[in-house]
């Protein structure tokens, strides 16, 4: 099938791009290359260097005529979304709407949407969070993901475009960018491979549900199936604290000590996702343990440092 991927020069979507191509799909990708890397674009993909808010998206869709949109492009910095909510809404809400309108006009059949299992729930009432947990985003970024999901539901009702919203846990793995508001795994690894002590904010007991990127790719592949529709948490039902994360990474490294800094204001204390709905409805299970995933990620970062 013809699949259009946004944000494909970035961390997660570049892996998805490779998997879709390996499965024999025809793939076109879009990225503005502001944070993504050109080398992440697979040469087998048709590449459009364009922003998702650009009106030219419609002409691109008219040319490629995608059957499926896999939408990962986003303004993903939580702190920037708080500081610049209008900018966040322009990219994440109006950009998504621009894509949906372009897709509607060419007969788009399905959208796979990268949502957030942490930002969309906010501070959890129960653990692990199921898809029925109240949605209480604590940032414009989280709110934009909630609005994106609602637009997908609306377009399904109005135009019969099926959708799958994948609420990711904290995704980590090869190609993750350690700069900007990146994941803690990439930030820690960049410092540790330089022989520097990473910085733990607060007491380090805050937890997240870390999911390896290959497992996220598998969820996207399963979401392509015609009968798959709806919202799914993509997490591991396993909490890992920042201190535990550092201890695992330090077992691969010469760096054995971390420094501490004040806690970040408003940081979520715990995040944990149930994957039971994904297991029962799309046969998705996380396959890579946190220790194995961190080892694979460490090896990739180490090899990149050498090259």
């Amino acid at each position: 099938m013809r699949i259009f991927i946004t944000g494909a020069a970035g961390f997660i979507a570049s892996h998805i791009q490779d998997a879709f191509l390996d499965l024999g799909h025809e793939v076109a990708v879009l990225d503005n290359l502001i944070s993504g890397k050109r080398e992440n674009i697979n040469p087998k993909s048709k590449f459009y260097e364009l922003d998702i808010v650009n009106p030219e998206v419609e002409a691109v869709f008219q040319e490629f005529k995608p059957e499926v949109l896999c939408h990962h492009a986003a303004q993903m910095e939580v702190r920037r979304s708080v500081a610049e909510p209008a900018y966040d809404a322009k990219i994440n809400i109006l950009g998504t709407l621009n894509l949906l309108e372009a897709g509607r006009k060419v007969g788009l059949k399905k959208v796979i949407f990268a949502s957030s299992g942490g930002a969309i729930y906010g501070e959890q009432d129960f653990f692990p969070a199921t898809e029925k947990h109240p949605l209480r985003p604590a940032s414009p970024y989280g709110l934009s993901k909630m609005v994106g999901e609602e637009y997908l539901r609306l377009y399904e009702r109005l135009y019969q475009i099926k959708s799958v919203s994948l609420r990711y846990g904290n995704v980590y793995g090869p190609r993750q960018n350690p700069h900007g508001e990146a994941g803690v795994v990439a930030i820690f690894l960049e410092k540790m491979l330089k022989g520097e002590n990473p910085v733990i904010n607060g007491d380090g007991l805050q937890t997240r549900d870390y999911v390896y990127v290959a497992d996220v790719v598998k969820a996207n592949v399963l979401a392509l199936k015609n009968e798959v529709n709806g919202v799914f948490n993509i997490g591991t039902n396993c909490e890992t604290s920042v201190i535990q994360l550092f201890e695992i990474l330090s077992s691969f490294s010469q760096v054995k000590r971390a420094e501490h800094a004040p806690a970040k204001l408003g940081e979520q204390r715990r995040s944990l996702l149930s994957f039971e709905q994904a297991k029962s409805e799309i046969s998705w299970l996380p396959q890579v343990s946190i220790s194995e995933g961190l080892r694979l990620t460490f090896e990739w970062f180490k090899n990149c440092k050498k090259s």
Side-chain angles (χ1 to χ4, degrees), residues 265-282:
L265 186 64
E267 184 178 18
Q268 193 173 339
R269 187 64 175 171
R270 296 176 65 194
S271 180
L272 182 65
L273 304 177
S274 167
F275 60 82
E276 286 304 312
Q277 188 160 300
K279 177 183 176 182
S280 62
E281 295 189 25
I282 64 173

Side-chain angles (χ1 to χ4, degrees), residues 5-13 30-36 50-53 70-78 80-81 87-96 99 113-116 140-142 144-146 148 168 181:
I5 306 174
T6 67
F11 161 45
I12 300 172
L30 176 148
D31 202 291
N32 60 14
L33 297 181
I34 289 176
S35 58
L50 198 64
D51 197 289
I52 59 172
V53 300
C70 184
H71 180 27
H72 281 72
Q75 190 300 113
M76 58 177 289
E77 296 187 21
V78 173
R80 184 169 187 182
S81 80
Y87 175 76
D88 183 85
K90 176 184 176 183
I91 303 299
N92 292 351
I93 297 176
L94 295 182
T96 297
L99 292 164
F113 179 56
S115 191
S116 170
Y141 168 73
S144 74
K145 291 298 183 183
M146 187 175 80
Y168 297 155
E181 191 169 310

Side-chain angles (χ1 to χ4, degrees), residues 188 200 202-206 210 240-250 258 260:
F188 276 16
I200 294 174
D203 59 14
L205 298 179
Q206 58 270 40
Y210 294 96
T240 304
S241 72
V242 178
I243 287 177
Q244 289 173 318
L245 198 72
F246 170 72
E247 288 173 347
I248 296 171
L249 290 173
S250 69
H260 280 262

Side-chain angles (χ1 to χ4, degrees), residues 4-119:
F4 195 91
I5 306 174
T6 67
F11 161 45
I12 300 172
S14 66
H15 287 281
I16 295 167
Q17 166 197 220
D18 293 342
F20 286 173
L21 286 166
D22 287 345
L23 289 169
H25 298 293
E26 184 181 353
V27 176
V29 301
L30 176 148
D31 202 291
N32 60 14
L33 297 181
I34 289 176
S35 58
K37 297 180 179 179
R38 189 178 291 272
E39 58 263 34
N40 286 342
I41 301 294
N42 193 304
K44 295 178 182 177
S45 296
K46 184 174 180 60
F47 174 46
Y48 297 93
E49 187 175 344
L50 198 64
D51 197 289
I52 59 172
V53 300
N54 194 312
E56 292 179 25
V57 164
E58 183 173 337
V60 167
F61 273 53
Q62 290 289 346
E63 179 183 309
F64 185 68
K65 292 185 169 51
E67 299 166 86
V68 175
L69 167 64
C70 184
H71 180 27
H72 281 72
Q75 190 300 113
M76 58 177 289
E77 296 187 21
V78 173
R79 281 172 287 180
R80 184 169 187 182
S81 80
V82 174
E84 301 177 63
Y87 175 76
D88 183 85
K90 176 184 176 183
I91 303 299
N92 292 351
I93 297 176
L94 295 182
T96 297
L97 188 54
N98 192 37
L99 292 164
L100 290 176
E101 276 295 280
R104 172 181 70 81
K105 293 172 183 177
V106 297
L108 185 71
K109 294 184 173 69
K110 188 173 212 175
V111 180
I112 302 170
F113 179 56
S115 191
S116 170

